[in-house]
Amino acid sequence: MPSSALCRQMEKNARPLAPSDHVGFDSLPDQLVNKSTSQGFCFNILCIGETGIGKSTLMDTLFNTNFENSESSHFEPQLKLRAQTYDLQESSVRLKLTVVSTVGFGDQMNKQESYQHIVDYINTQFESHLQEELKIKRSLHNYHDSRVHACLYFIAPSGHSLKSLDLVTMKNLDSKVNIIPVIAKADTISKSELHKLKIKIMSELVSNGIQVYQFPVDDETVAKINANMNGHLPFAVVGSTDEVNMGNKTVKARQYPWGVVQVENETHCDFVKLREMLISVNMEDLREQTHTRHYELYRRCKLEEMGFKDMDSESKPVSVQQTYELKRQEFLAELQKREEEMKQNFVQRVKEKEAELKEAERELHVRYEQLKQLHTEETSELEEKRRMLEEEMSFFSKRKAAAELLNSQSLNNKKDKDRKNAGFW
């Protein structure tokens, strides 16, 4: 019998047993609340939108504080992701909030680099968490979870549809993060235009197969309000930390020459709906969806890339130890194979080198014989020229001696003749 069917049979046969007196395990929810409250919570928000669309202002308005934000220009050479962490406290609940903002989103000529940097950032946070889980000595209880729990995607109110960059970015992110689309600066368009824009945006998301975060309706306590809020997506928001006096009360609003737009007035914008859905009602579900859906998908794909799997080819369970041993044997076999290949390559190269050396030696020997023969011939020729030179020198010496003798005889004859002539006179 399959395990699931066995469990259902056991549940069917289970007999409820009520304690005769108070035991105390009904305090477990209180224990969990106290433990969670003492440890605190973390929540990470990724804000994607072009420069100047109001990301920082909306964050300040959402959490009713003034975060330290520096202004960005439209001339960034590439997209930068700036993550800032803040410790907030409301009543006795502590929250470690991380706001990740995209600086220079969509300002570059190459739009692909914009969303690719975001994808890489989210994958890096998943990888950090996975590496912490795979450690032998883990410390997940005090590990700072940097995974992105919610992505507020800011849509510019200018135009009648989504930009191609918006579609491509959300398509590459919908399996990695909970996307909540918001129309920024919603006070710049009329009510009728805003309604048409919402319908157009949701239609384009559906037609392009982009899955945005849907508020859960499986919990009866929040099913009704979440189902109602799903029909208001994308939220049209206005952010402002400026306070304006309206009658006998002070409200957060944006004041214009023609009137005042109240941030927390639901007839003016959807800011209250966004804050309630994001923080008050569904923050824990966003954290849970990040872990059970997006992170588990990344973890499964990563482990499958590493060769780990739950079932073998025969649909039998495979333990991590079995997979490790199998991979170890495959690695050792591959290592041995590569070692043999390297040995064969080494032997082949040694043989080729020996053949090259022998050929070079043969060529040197031939060259040596040629030079030796040439030297012998030149030596013989030189000796012949030397012999001929010596003969010429000997012949020249003889001719010189004969000439000197002849010259001497000629001088003597001349002297005798001169003496005879002198005696005659």
Side-chain angles (χ1 to χ4, degrees), residues 206-290:
V206 172
S207 61
N208 286 276
I210 299 173
Q211 297 180 356
V212 298
Y213 176 74
Q214 294 291 315
F215 302 116
V217 294
D218 51 353
D219 187 354
E220 294 181 357
T221 58
V222 295
K224 185 176 180 180
I225 185 173
N226 279 348
N228 182 34
M229 290 303 172
N230 283 330
H232 285 82
L233 290 174
F235 292 126
V237 297
V238 176
S240 176
T241 56
D242 298 335
E243 295 184 346
V244 178
N245 293 323
M246 298 292 295
N248 58 354
K249 63 178 182 179
T250 303
V251 297
K252 288 184 173 62
R254 298 186 71 88
Q255 192 166 15
Y256 296 97
W258 45 263
V260 176
V261 177
Q262 299 180 32
V263 173
E264 297 179 329
N265 190 333
E266 293 192 44
T267 61
H268 291 184
C269 69
D270 297 332
F271 172 79
V272 175
K273 297 183 178 67
L274 173 63
R275 183 175 61 186
E276 185 177 4
M277 291 296 98
L278 180 66
I279 301 174
S280 302
V281 180
N282 298 299
M283 178 182 283
E284 182 57 30
D285 184 74
L286 287 165
R287 286 157 42 91
E288 184 181 353
Q289 286 290 324
T290 299

XYZ file of all heavy atoms in Angstrom, residues 206-290:
671
model
N -1.162 38.367 -18.408
C -1.740 37.045 -18.665
C -1.343 36.541 -20.046
O -0.964 35.376 -20.226
C -3.267 37.087 -18.509
C -3.889 35.766 -18.958
C -3.660 37.379 -17.068
N -1.429 37.403 -21.056
C -1.120 36.982 -22.427
C 0.350 36.612 -22.596
O 0.692 35.796 -23.462
C -1.490 38.090 -23.417
O -0.741 39.265 -23.145
N 1.228 37.184 -21.772
C 2.660 36.867 -21.852
C 3.070 35.786 -20.861
O 4.264 35.487 -20.749
C 3.490 38.127 -21.607
C 3.469 39.084 -22.783
O 4.238 38.946 -23.735
N 2.562 40.054 -22.737
N 2.104 35.200 -20.170
C 2.411 34.104 -19.256
C 3.201 34.516 -18.034
O 3.958 33.710 -17.480
N 3.031 35.748 -17.585
C 3.754 36.245 -16.410
C 2.887 36.041 -15.178
O 1.743 36.506 -15.128
C 4.121 37.729 -16.580
C 5.039 37.913 -17.802
C 4.800 38.260 -15.322
C 5.312 39.356 -18.145
N 3.425 35.355 -14.178
C 2.686 35.072 -12.959
C 3.107 36.043 -11.861
O 4.240 36.007 -11.400
C 2.937 33.633 -12.505
C 2.458 32.584 -13.484
C 2.720 31.169 -12.990
O 3.333 30.977 -11.947
N 2.255 30.197 -13.739
N 2.186 36.916 -11.485
C 2.435 37.820 -10.368
C 1.897 37.185 -9.101
O 1.144 36.209 -9.139
C 1.800 39.197 -10.617
C 2.424 39.855 -11.842
C 0.292 39.079 -10.776
N 2.295 37.735 -7.979
C 1.872 37.179 -6.689
C 0.375 37.400 -6.477
O -0.136 38.514 -6.635
C 2.663 37.832 -5.566
C 2.231 37.407 -4.183
C 2.545 36.158 -3.690
C 1.511 38.283 -3.366
C 2.153 35.769 -2.421
C 1.130 37.910 -2.099
C 1.450 36.653 -1.624
O 1.057 36.270 -0.368
N -0.324 36.312 -6.147
C -1.741 36.367 -5.823
C -1.907 36.178 -4.318
O -1.377 35.236 -3.740
C -2.506 35.265 -6.575
C -2.528 35.443 -8.088
C -3.380 36.625 -8.519
O -4.489 36.821 -8.034
N -2.856 37.420 -9.449
N -2.634 37.091 -3.698
C -2.858 36.988 -2.262
C -3.630 35.710 -1.960
O -4.624 35.404 -2.629
C -3.610 38.219 -1.753
C -2.896 39.500 -2.045
C -3.449 40.446 -2.891
C -1.653 39.764 -1.490
C -2.801 41.629 -3.169
C -0.992 40.945 -1.764
C -1.562 41.882 -2.609
N -3.199 34.911 -0.981
C -3.783 33.581 -0.749
C -5.235 33.660 -0.272
O -5.605 34.540 0.510
C -2.876 32.987 0.333
C -2.297 34.177 1.036
C -2.144 35.236 0.001
N -6.019 32.708 -0.736
C -7.436 32.649 -0.369
C -7.769 31.316 0.306
O -8.947 30.975 0.448
C -8.333 32.862 -1.614
C -8.176 34.264 -2.151
C -8.009 31.832 -2.696
N -6.737 30.541 0.695
C -7.005 29.248 1.340
C -7.272 29.394 2.824
O -7.819 28.487 3.453
C -5.833 28.292 1.107
C -4.501 28.917 1.472
O -4.472 30.122 1.767
O -3.477 28.205 1.455
N -6.890 30.521 3.418
C -7.159 30.775 4.827
C -8.495 31.500 4.954
O -8.683 32.587 4.395
C -6.028 31.613 5.437
C -6.160 31.760 6.945
O -7.183 31.312 7.507
O -5.243 32.332 7.564
N -9.419 30.925 5.668
C -10.765 31.486 5.748
C -10.780 32.866 6.376
O -11.635 33.690 6.053
C -11.672 30.546 6.543
C -11.917 29.199 5.865
C -12.833 28.319 6.686
O -13.224 28.754 7.804
O -13.163 27.212 6.218
N -9.851 33.120 7.277
C -9.859 34.405 7.978
C -9.518 35.579 7.069
O -9.952 36.709 7.321
C -8.866 34.369 9.146
O -7.556 34.078 8.648
C -9.267 33.311 10.164
N -8.724 35.333 6.011
C -8.318 36.425 5.115
C -8.731 36.152 3.678
O -8.366 36.919 2.776
C -6.786 36.646 5.185
C -6.367 37.126 6.554
C -6.045 35.373 4.803
N -9.483 35.068 3.443
C -9.829 34.696 2.070
C -10.657 35.777 1.391
O -10.428 36.120 0.232
C -10.576 33.364 2.065
N -11.619 36.342 2.105
C -12.524 37.310 1.501
C -11.793 38.593 1.118
O -11.917 39.083 -0.010
C -13.674 37.619 2.464
C -14.735 38.532 1.867
C -15.884 38.710 2.837
C -16.962 39.621 2.231
N -18.111 39.817 3.158
N -11.003 39.121 2.037
C -10.308 40.381 1.755
C -9.224 40.188 0.697
O -9.035 41.042 -0.173
C -9.711 40.971 3.055
C -9.092 42.348 2.762
C -8.695 40.037 3.688
C -8.641 43.070 4.006
N -8.539 39.027 0.733
C -7.501 38.773 -0.270
C -8.101 38.582 -1.656
O -7.540 39.044 -2.665
C -6.684 37.544 0.119
C -5.618 37.859 1.150
O -5.336 39.024 1.428
N -5.032 36.836 1.739
N -9.220 37.894 -1.734
C -9.872 37.721 -3.027
C -10.312 39.063 -3.593
O -10.216 39.309 -4.800
C -11.077 36.788 -2.879
N -10.777 39.940 -2.717
C -11.180 41.277 -3.156
C -9.976 42.079 -3.627
O -10.033 42.774 -4.653
C -11.899 41.995 -2.015
C -12.380 43.377 -2.426
O -12.764 43.601 -3.579
N -12.379 44.303 -1.484
N -8.848 41.965 -2.904
C -7.653 42.736 -3.254
C -6.985 42.213 -4.521
O -6.340 42.974 -5.248
C -6.659 42.710 -2.088
C -7.128 43.504 -0.882
S -7.463 45.231 -1.312
C -8.211 45.820 0.195
N -7.124 40.915 -4.798
C -6.582 40.389 -6.054
C -7.219 41.052 -7.255
O -6.609 41.159 -8.325
C -6.785 38.872 -6.115
C -5.789 38.124 -5.243
O -4.658 38.583 -5.039
N -6.201 36.977 -4.726
N -8.462 41.501 -7.089
C -9.143 42.193 -8.183
C -8.705 43.620 -8.358
O -9.053 44.246 -9.371
N -7.932 44.168 -7.391
C -7.454 45.554 -7.499
C -6.047 45.644 -8.078
O -5.527 46.746 -8.252
C -7.476 46.228 -6.121
C -8.854 46.608 -5.658
N -9.708 45.722 -5.061
C -9.519 47.792 -5.723
C -10.836 46.327 -4.746
N -10.752 47.595 -5.143
N -5.400 44.476 -8.318
C -4.050 44.514 -8.898
C -4.089 45.044 -10.323
O -5.011 44.742 -11.072
C -3.437 43.110 -8.879
C -3.066 42.550 -7.498
C -2.615 41.107 -7.627
C -1.965 43.383 -6.852
N -3.061 45.807 -10.722
C -1.964 46.362 -9.921
C -2.422 47.557 -9.091
O -3.299 48.310 -9.511
C -0.942 46.782 -10.977
C -1.769 47.137 -12.164
C -2.944 46.184 -12.148
N -1.835 47.716 -7.907
C -2.208 48.815 -7.031
C -1.698 50.134 -7.606
O -0.550 50.253 -8.036
C -1.634 48.610 -5.633
C -2.248 47.454 -4.905
C -1.456 46.452 -4.375
C -3.614 47.366 -4.736
C -2.016 45.390 -3.692
C -4.189 46.302 -4.051
C -3.393 45.309 -3.537
N -2.559 51.129 -7.595
C -2.186 52.481 -8.022
C -1.856 53.280 -6.777
O -2.743 53.530 -5.948
C -3.327 53.119 -8.802
N -0.595 53.632 -6.613
C -0.148 54.205 -5.346
C 0.397 55.614 -5.536
O 0.820 56.017 -6.626
C 0.936 53.316 -4.697
C 0.379 51.953 -4.369
C 2.149 53.195 -5.606
N 0.368 56.329 -4.420
C 0.973 57.658 -4.317
C 1.726 57.680 -3.001
O 1.172 57.307 -1.961
C -0.081 58.779 -4.348
C 0.591 60.137 -4.149
C -0.854 58.753 -5.651
N 2.967 58.086 -3.018
C 3.770 58.139 -1.802
C 4.127 59.556 -1.435
O 4.402 60.392 -2.305
N 4.115 59.826 -0.132
C 4.501 61.152 0.344
C 4.674 61.109 1.853
O 3.880 60.483 2.562
C 3.449 62.191 -0.033
O 3.784 63.457 0.509
N 5.698 61.764 2.345
C 5.902 61.897 3.786
C 5.559 63.296 4.270
O 5.705 63.593 5.459
C 7.361 61.573 4.137
O 8.242 62.423 3.377
C 7.688 60.119 3.843
N 5.098 64.136 3.355
C 4.702 65.503 3.729
C 3.349 65.465 4.431
O 2.438 64.742 4.020
C 4.619 66.394 2.497
C 5.957 66.530 1.798
O 6.995 66.369 2.477
O 5.973 66.773 0.570
N 3.213 66.244 5.477
C 1.967 66.311 6.231
C 1.249 67.612 5.919
O 1.852 68.688 5.908
C 2.250 66.189 7.735
C 2.824 64.831 8.125
C 3.015 64.693 9.615
O 2.955 65.735 10.314
O 3.219 63.566 10.095
N -0.058 67.488 5.683
C -0.889 68.634 5.310
C -2.080 68.672 6.261
O -2.672 67.632 6.594
C -1.376 68.510 3.846
C -2.280 69.681 3.484
C -0.190 68.430 2.893
N -2.418 69.841 6.717
C -3.566 70.006 7.596
C -4.851 69.997 6.784
O -5.044 70.808 5.878
C -3.459 71.319 8.379
C -2.303 71.317 9.370
O -2.016 70.287 9.981
N -1.647 72.462 9.533
N -5.730 69.055 7.130
C -7.033 68.928 6.479
C -8.113 69.040 7.561
O -8.420 68.073 8.264
C -7.152 67.593 5.751
C -6.149 67.397 4.638
S -6.420 68.484 3.233
C -8.012 67.887 2.656
N -8.642 70.235 7.715
C -9.636 70.460 8.752
C -8.991 70.395 10.120
O -8.064 71.151 10.438
N -9.425 69.459 10.948
C -8.898 69.324 12.319
C -7.908 68.172 12.449
O -7.614 67.722 13.552
C -10.053 69.135 13.307
C -10.900 67.928 12.958
O -10.694 67.293 11.931
N -11.859 67.620 13.824
N -7.416 67.665 11.346
C -6.452 66.567 11.416
C -5.337 66.781 10.402
O -5.477 67.529 9.427
C -7.140 65.230 11.166
C -7.749 65.082 9.799
C -8.364 63.694 9.618
C -8.948 63.521 8.219
N -9.525 62.167 8.044
N -4.214 66.106 10.671
C -3.039 66.182 9.801
C -2.900 64.862 9.060
O -2.923 63.794 9.678
C -1.766 66.456 10.616
O -1.933 67.673 11.355
C -0.562 66.595 9.702
N -2.755 64.933 7.743
C -2.671 63.726 6.924
C -1.440 63.808 6.036
O -0.929 64.894 5.738
C -3.931 63.552 6.051
C -5.162 63.363 6.907
C -4.116 64.741 5.104
N -0.965 62.624 5.618
C 0.110 62.561 4.622
C -0.509 62.777 3.248
O -1.461 62.079 2.878
C 0.823 61.211 4.678
C 1.703 61.016 5.909
C 2.439 59.706 5.826
C 3.436 59.578 6.966
N 2.782 59.584 8.279
N 0.038 63.712 2.515
C -0.583 64.068 1.242
C 0.419 64.764 0.340
O 1.527 65.140 0.761
C -1.798 64.960 1.474
N 0.004 64.895 -0.902
C 0.760 65.684 -1.885
C -0.120 66.873 -2.259
O -1.267 66.698 -2.691
C 1.095 64.862 -3.122
C 1.976 63.662 -2.830
C 2.393 62.955 -4.090
N 3.340 63.729 -4.863
C 4.661 63.680 -4.705
N 5.175 62.894 -3.788
N 5.460 64.409 -5.447
N 0.415 68.046 -2.061
C -0.360 69.257 -2.275
C -0.002 69.870 -3.626
O 1.167 70.042 -3.962
C -0.105 70.265 -1.155
C -1.081 71.429 -1.145
C -1.016 72.201 0.155
O -0.076 72.046 0.931
N -2.006 73.047 0.404
N -1.035 70.142 -4.411
C -0.877 70.733 -5.726
C -1.643 72.061 -5.761
O -2.497 72.316 -4.896
C -1.410 69.788 -6.804
C -0.659 68.485 -6.905
C -1.131 67.346 -6.265
C 0.522 68.392 -7.625
C -0.448 66.142 -6.344
C 1.206 67.202 -7.720
C 0.721 66.077 -7.079
O 1.416 64.885 -7.161
N -1.386 72.883 -6.761
C -2.151 74.142 -6.867
C -3.645 73.905 -7.023
O -4.457 74.731 -6.603
C -1.552 74.807 -8.115
C -0.183 74.235 -8.239
C -0.295 72.835 -7.739
N -4.016 72.746 -7.600
C -5.423 72.488 -7.839
C -6.089 71.683 -6.734
O -7.296 71.442 -6.753
C -5.610 71.733 -9.160
C -4.650 70.591 -9.356
C -3.488 70.612 -10.049
C -4.767 69.265 -8.814
N -2.855 69.396 -10.006
C -3.631 68.533 -9.250
C -5.710 68.613 -8.021
C -3.412 67.209 -8.918
C -5.497 67.284 -7.683
C -4.362 66.592 -8.125
N -5.319 71.223 -5.735
C -5.920 70.448 -4.663
C -4.907 69.594 -3.928
O -3.689 69.759 -4.099
N -5.410 68.659 -3.108
C -4.572 67.810 -2.267
C -4.917 66.351 -2.550
O -6.095 65.974 -2.591
C -4.786 68.125 -0.774
C -3.989 67.159 0.096
C -4.382 69.556 -0.460
N -3.868 65.529 -2.729
C -4.035 64.084 -2.892
C -3.610 63.428 -1.580
O -2.445 63.481 -1.202
C -3.191 63.543 -4.059
C -3.325 62.025 -4.144
C -3.599 64.180 -5.368
N -4.574 62.832 -0.888
C -4.295 62.192 0.385
C -3.787 60.765 0.151
O -4.443 59.969 -0.520
C -5.542 62.177 1.256
C -6.075 63.558 1.596
C -7.317 63.484 2.466
O -7.465 62.565 3.265
N -8.203 64.463 2.300
N -2.633 60.459 0.724
C -2.017 59.158 0.511
C -2.870 58.044 1.111
O -3.038 56.974 0.508
C -0.597 59.146 1.116
C -0.002 57.747 1.059
C 0.302 60.130 0.374
N -3.437 58.281 2.286
C -4.174 57.239 2.990
C -5.676 57.309 2.747
O -6.448 56.689 3.484
C -3.864 57.313 4.487
C -2.393 57.037 4.797
C -2.077 57.137 6.284
O -2.746 57.942 6.955
O -1.184 56.419 6.755
N -6.075 58.022 1.730
C -7.485 58.082 1.354
C -7.706 57.092 0.215
O -7.173 57.259 -0.891
C -7.857 59.500 0.923
C -9.357 59.680 0.750
O -10.083 58.729 0.463
N -9.826 60.908 0.928
N -8.508 56.058 0.461
C -8.677 54.994 -0.526
C -9.415 55.458 -1.770
O -9.385 54.768 -2.796
C -9.402 53.805 0.107
C -8.579 53.119 1.185
C -9.168 51.784 1.596
O -9.570 51.012 0.708
O -9.230 51.519 2.805
N -10.088 56.581 -1.713
C -10.726 57.108 -2.914
C -9.726 57.830 -3.801
O -10.015 58.098 -4.971
C -11.869 58.074 -2.535
O -11.330 59.171 -1.788
C -12.931 57.355 -1.718
N -8.545 58.160 -3.246
C -7.516 58.857 -4.023
C -6.498 57.891 -4.632
O -6.014 58.126 -5.739
C -6.798 59.878 -3.130
C -7.662 61.036 -2.747
N -7.201 62.113 -2.008
C -8.979 61.311 -3.005
C -8.172 62.978 -1.826
N -9.267 62.511 -2.412
N -6.132 56.840 -3.889
C -5.151 55.875 -4.392
C -5.283 54.584 -3.607
O -6.071 54.478 -2.662
C -3.721 56.431 -4.308
S -3.106 56.621 -2.612
N -4.480 53.573 -3.981
C -4.527 52.250 -3.358
C -3.408 52.042 -2.345
O -3.044 50.899 -2.047
C -4.417 51.162 -4.441
C -5.578 51.199 -5.410
O -6.664 51.639 -5.003
O -5.392 50.782 -6.572
N -2.867 53.125 -1.806
C -1.744 52.972 -0.890
C -2.129 52.155 0.338
O -1.379 51.262 0.771
C -1.219 54.344 -0.454
C -0.197 54.279 0.637
C 1.118 53.954 0.357
C -0.552 54.508 1.964
C 2.062 53.859 1.368
C 0.392 54.422 2.973
C 1.697 54.101 2.672
N -3.289 52.424 0.922
C -3.720 51.696 2.120
C -3.894 50.214 1.809
O -3.530 49.345 2.603
C -5.024 52.308 2.668
C -5.547 51.465 3.840
C -4.795 53.742 3.117
N -4.440 49.909 0.639
C -4.611 48.501 0.235
C -3.260 47.812 0.132
O -3.077 46.684 0.616
C -5.349 48.424 -1.101
C -6.769 48.964 -1.098
C -7.402 48.769 -2.459
C -8.849 49.263 -2.495
N -8.942 50.727 -2.347
N -2.293 48.477 -0.487
C -0.959 47.890 -0.629
C -0.321 47.666 0.732
O 0.235 46.589 0.999
C -0.077 48.803 -1.483
C 1.401 48.398 -1.581
C 1.551 47.050 -2.260
C 2.208 49.462 -2.314
N -0.386 48.657 1.604
C 0.233 48.521 2.923
C -0.417 47.402 3.732
O 0.277 46.609 4.383
C 0.131 49.846 3.682
C 0.813 49.823 5.046
C 0.777 51.183 5.699
N -0.598 51.625 5.927
C -0.925 52.845 6.388
N 0.034 53.720 6.648
N -2.182 53.175 6.563
N -1.740 47.317 3.659
C -2.440 46.281 4.408
C -2.109 44.900 3.871
O -1.826 43.969 4.636
C -3.950 46.526 4.343
C -4.755 45.560 5.191
C -6.242 45.866 5.166
O -6.632 46.802 4.419
O -7.001 45.177 5.855
N -2.107 44.745 2.547
C -1.834 43.436 1.959
C -0.375 43.031 2.123
O -0.065 41.866 2.370
C -2.188 43.458 0.466
C -3.666 43.560 0.162
S -4.603 42.115 0.744
C -5.264 42.739 2.303
N 0.528 43.984 1.996
C 1.959 43.679 2.032
C 2.455 43.435 3.449
O 3.251 42.517 3.687
C 2.753 44.825 1.393
C 4.276 44.672 1.333
C 4.663 43.532 0.423
C 4.920 45.974 0.873
N 1.989 44.219 4.404
C 2.567 44.185 5.746
C 1.620 43.552 6.764
O 1.996 42.630 7.488
C 2.941 45.621 6.186
C 3.948 46.220 5.193
C 3.513 45.617 7.599
C 4.283 47.666 5.444
N 0.387 44.013 6.804
C -0.507 43.598 7.889
C -1.080 42.201 7.698
O -1.331 41.493 8.675
C -1.656 44.608 8.020
O -1.164 45.903 8.264
N -1.325 41.776 6.452
C -2.058 40.534 6.218
C -1.171 39.420 5.672
O -1.231 38.281 6.145
C -3.246 40.788 5.255
C -4.009 39.492 5.009
C -4.176 41.846 5.822
N -0.340 39.723 4.696
C 0.322 38.651 3.939
C 1.846 38.652 4.035
O 2.510 37.997 3.226
C -0.081 38.751 2.466
C -1.571 38.568 2.268
O -2.127 37.531 2.598
N -2.223 39.596 1.727
N 2.422 39.346 4.991
C 3.887 39.355 5.086
C 4.431 37.955 5.350
O 5.403 37.524 4.718
C 4.354 40.317 6.178
C 5.860 40.330 6.357
S 6.440 41.422 7.675
C 6.291 43.010 6.868
N 3.811 37.202 6.262
C 4.287 35.861 6.570
C 4.094 34.927 5.387
O 4.923 34.057 5.123
C 3.568 35.311 7.801
C 4.032 33.931 8.243
C 5.526 33.875 8.527
O 6.107 34.915 8.946
O 6.132 32.803 8.313
N 3.006 35.110 4.624
C 2.801 34.268 3.445
C 3.848 34.566 2.381
O 4.304 33.647 1.687
C 1.396 34.498 2.869
C 1.099 33.565 1.695
O 0.877 32.368 1.946
O 1.144 34.039 0.540
N 4.237 35.819 2.242
C 5.296 36.165 1.293
C 6.614 35.498 1.688
O 7.336 34.973 0.839
C 5.466 37.683 1.240
C 4.367 38.465 0.527
C 4.462 39.952 0.858
C 4.456 38.266 -0.982
N 6.900 35.488 2.988
C 8.111 34.820 3.463
C 8.032 33.313 3.220
O 9.005 32.682 2.786
C 8.303 35.103 4.950
C 8.773 36.513 5.269
C 8.428 36.949 6.688
N 8.647 35.919 7.660
C 9.778 35.700 8.348
N 10.822 36.492 8.099
N 9.887 34.751 9.224
N 6.861 32.755 3.474
C 6.695 31.316 3.286
C 6.746 30.932 1.817
O 7.367 29.921 1.448
C 5.360 30.876 3.892
C 5.135 29.374 3.820
C 3.804 28.967 4.413
O 3.120 29.831 4.983
O 3.446 27.775 4.289
N 6.118 31.725 0.948
C 6.154 31.445 -0.493
C 7.576 31.525 -1.032
O 7.974 30.743 -1.895
C 5.251 32.424 -1.239
C 3.775 32.163 -1.096
C 3.352 30.905 -1.832
O 3.863 30.583 -2.895
N 2.427 30.162 -1.229
N 8.347 32.457 -0.515
C 9.745 32.571 -0.944
C 10.522 31.308 -0.622
O 11.321 30.835 -1.437
C 10.406 33.785 -0.260
O 9.707 34.973 -0.639
C 11.863 33.908 -0.668
